[in-house]
Amino acid sequence: MLPMPPRALHACADDSFGMAEKPLFRDIEGDADEQETSEIESLCMKCGENGVSRILLTRIPMFKEVVIMSFSCQQCGFVNNEIQSAGRIQEEGMKITLKVKEKKDLNRQLVKTDVTSVVIPELQFEIPSKSQPGEVTTIEGMLQRAVDGLQQDQPIRKIMDPDVYEKIQVVINQLEECQCGDRLFTLVLDDPSGNSFVENPHAPQKDPHMLIQMYKRSLDQDILLGLRADDDNGEKEAVTEAGTGPVTQDEVLSFPSNCESCQSPCETRMKMVDVPHFKQVIIMAVTCDRCGHRSNEVKSGGGVSNFGQRIKLQMMSIDDLSRDVLKSETASVLIPALDLEVQSSSMGGKFTTLEGLVDDVKQQLKKTSFSYGDSARDDFAQRMDQFLQKLDKVVSGDNFVEVIIDDPAGNSYIQNPYAPDADPNMVIEQYERSYEQNEELGLNDMKTEGYRQDDGNG
């Protein structure tokens, strides 16, 4: 099936959802009448006759918005199903490294976009980017698809090129050993769009066998995602407009964008704010009139601090829930009493209260968990429900815990009601960043001294 062009996508949205009444992408619902699909006559790639493509715009947990397409040809009987990501491209790429050590790891749910490359280093095996469509499957299912793809032309290779046949058969045998759980291996998913996912059975705790790394995309990756033109040389030209000048603190800027929940057109408002006893930040707020989604995001108005910062707050009363909290996009949130760690890649920057921050963590776990729905396991769903109840007690003030915000960039903040005096219940620690933390912040490749001499300009 050929990828659906953007105009066709908007046409389907106009016909099926009613642009003025309903959001473009809605959750999958049990009521069949609510699942509105569009049918488009399209070319069959097998026989050359016309077939029918059925298209559904919907939203799947952890995979954000997707376009589900099903093609069938009544002439030759050819059928094909495909899923394409329609969600927004994240600000950073994502690399997921999982050590598969047990057979039950093969049952982990996996979401792979079409631009994701998959590597198994032990086998020197790679599924290149754009070689397969996006899919929602398990690790075992992904291995099975790889085996099926390699076996497809093996009978022909055995006759035409026996040497290549033998080499590919060795790889097939190794993949089948991995698929049966007889061989330990490492699975690496590299997704420039940042929308891939591997299930964490230990959620909400950290998975000891899985590492998630965010990175800045290269120019080639931006071109692959369509964010830049093919002839882009990576240089950014200065854009100036008549009458533009510095943004003042009293000025609210607005610009068109898309709702991150339903992808409908909406407006983003931005304002610079001075946080007392802290620094200047940029707050961006979005309100969607179609689906009612509301969100805010915080960006640091300054640069990266010289040291990382770790803020520890011990809740002593229900009033602590009303403290203002600024969590930057580089900060992680920890609640040791609940054995909870929310990595910086899981939540963006937020300007809220302590109550709102804990509630956002709860909503994020409910929204991005496979513990609900048809694919949920009873034991995992029960464990997740028990954990969410513990978070409810924190939000309601029935359980006072220690909350830690660890920000390598030093741009996070928790309100001190005793300011300018020290807060007896809050400790602020500064620390030297590790090499890995500097790498994530892009500081290792940044040179601020002596660069003129290196260029030979004196």
Side-chain angles (χ1 to χ4, degrees), residues 310-321:
R310 188 178 295 112
I311 307 175
K312 299 180 180 179
L313 173 65
Q314 177 61 53
M315 296 175 55
M316 302 299 295
S317 69
I318 196 172
D319 294 333
D320 288 328
L321 293 171

Side-chain angles (χ1 to χ4, degrees), residues 376-390:
R377 298 192 303 270
D378 293 339
D379 58 336
F380 188 65
Q382 183 178 6
R383 187 168 73 247
M384 182 62 71
D385 286 336
Q386 292 174 352
F387 184 83
L388 293 179
Q389 291 175 6
K390 294 179 181 179

Side-chain angles (χ1 to χ4, degrees), residues 36 92 106 133 168 183 252 285 301 321 343 345 348 449:
E36 300 169 346
E92 296 180 311
L106 298 171
I168 294 181
R183 187 186 186 110
V252 179
L321 293 171
Q343 298 180 347
S345 58
E449 297 179 359

Side-chain angles (χ1 to χ4, degrees), residues 43-51 71 73-78:
L43 178 67
C44 176
M45 303 304 295
K46 187 173 182 180
C47 69
E49 299 293 334
N50 286 337
F71 175 81
C73 178
Q74 297 181 352
Q75 306 297 327
C76 66
F78 176 71

